[in-house]
Amino acid sequence: MKKFNFKQFKLNRVRADELTDRLLIINLYVTQAVVLLIAAVILWFQKPNLLSMFAVQPMWQIALWGTVYAVAVLVIDMLISQWVPPEITDDGGINEKLFGNRPLWHIAVMSLAVAICEELLFRGAIQAAWGPYWTSILFAAIHFRYLQHWLMTGLVFSISYGLGWIYIQTGSLWTPILAHFLIDFVMGCILRYRREA
């Protein structure tokens, strides 16, 4: 039997300026498709009540919790960006390249895809088994481009924990999906339109 040589595979750090726009977009959507597939497999085995998980009543409560949480995160993020040196919050330029020249509709589509796929996996599937704390540790770990700075890792962990908490409070996955979408969409718009200011 022939042995498989794992040494031939090497992980190299890729800088944002080395990525083409097309490769970055393909990577985003393929990653989200994988996240969605993993969520579907886990949910298949868990067999949750999907109608309950995606409850839309009371809609005002879902909208209020999701919007207030997103606004709080965005305000905290803006305060951090005022007081913390840029090298501490740097993600290697990925977000700038991802959102910097994107049309508004595409920022919305990307934000919605990420919000639905990641919340379905982390809050919908993983949190049911692990709880919000361990789910948030995993969530922070997969956002590996922030792991080089403790502040950003802590911020991603805290945002994730908050998303898990608002999911528990409302009982609807639409709440963290809405909050996640609003956070990503507003931050994407800031990155896109601050260049024109």
Side-chain angles (χ1 to χ4, degrees):
M1 179 175 194
K2 184 177 179 184
K3 289 185 178 181
F4 193 75
N5 184 5
F6 286 102
K7 292 180 182 178
Q8 69 184 358
F9 295 104
K10 294 181 182 177
L11 294 176
N12 294 325
R13 184 182 173 123
V14 178
R15 294 189 341 250
D17 57 347
E18 295 172 346
L19 293 171
T20 65
D21 189 56
R22 183 173 185 268
L23 183 61
L24 193 60
I25 291 298
I26 289 171
N27 183 52
L28 173 81
Y29 288 117
V30 167
T31 302
Q32 295 311 307
V34 169
V35 165
L36 188 60
L37 180 64
I38 293 169
V41 169
I42 293 171
L43 289 170
W44 174 264
F45 288 106
Q46 288 178 344
K47 300 197 184 319
N49 182 340
L50 293 177
L51 290 177
S52 174
M53 183 184 288
F54 285 101
V56 292
Q57 296 298 330
M59 181 60 84
W60 70 269
Q61 190 178 16
I62 292 167
L64 181 66
W65 278 95
T67 304
V68 168
Y69 182 74
V71 168
V73 168
L74 291 165
V75 167
I76 290 168
D77 186 72
M78 287 182 193
L79 290 173
I80 287 172
S81 68
Q82 294 295 317
W83 293 330
V84 174
E87 59 272 8
I88 300 295
T89 59
D90 182 34
D91 71 338
I94 298 293
N95 287 340
E96 180 75 34
K97 186 153 185 160
L98 194 58
F99 294 109
N101 294 315
R102 212 68 56 213
L104 187 62
W105 69 266
H106 201 178
I107 293 172
V109 168
M110 289 189 306
S111 300
L112 187 61
V114 169
I116 290 171
C117 295
E118 289 186 2
E119 293 309 312
L120 191 60
L121 175 61
F122 289 98
R123 257 47 70 187
I126 295 174
Q127 183 168 305
W130 290 10
Y133 179 79
W134 292 106
T135 299
S136 298
I137 287 178
L138 180 61
F139 187 83
I142 70 151
H143 289 80
F144 59 89
R145 66 182 185 265
Y146 297 120
L147 292 177
Q148 60 190 337
H149 301 294
W150 67 268
L151 179 65
M152 294 308 294
T153 302
L155 186 61
V156 171
F157 170 85
S158 300
I159 290 169
S160 175
Y161 193 86
L163 290 168
W165 187 76
I166 63 173
Y167 176 44
I168 292 168
Q169 297 307 307
T170 62
S172 174
L173 199 57
W174 290 116
T175 312
I177 288 172
L178 173 63
H180 197 149
F181 167 77
L182 290 173
I183 293 165
D184 288 357
F185 180 70
V186 171
M187 294 305 289
C189 288
I190 290 169
L191 288 170
R192 169 67 174 92
Y193 293 107
R194 79 172 175 198
R195 305 171 100 200
E196 297 176 1

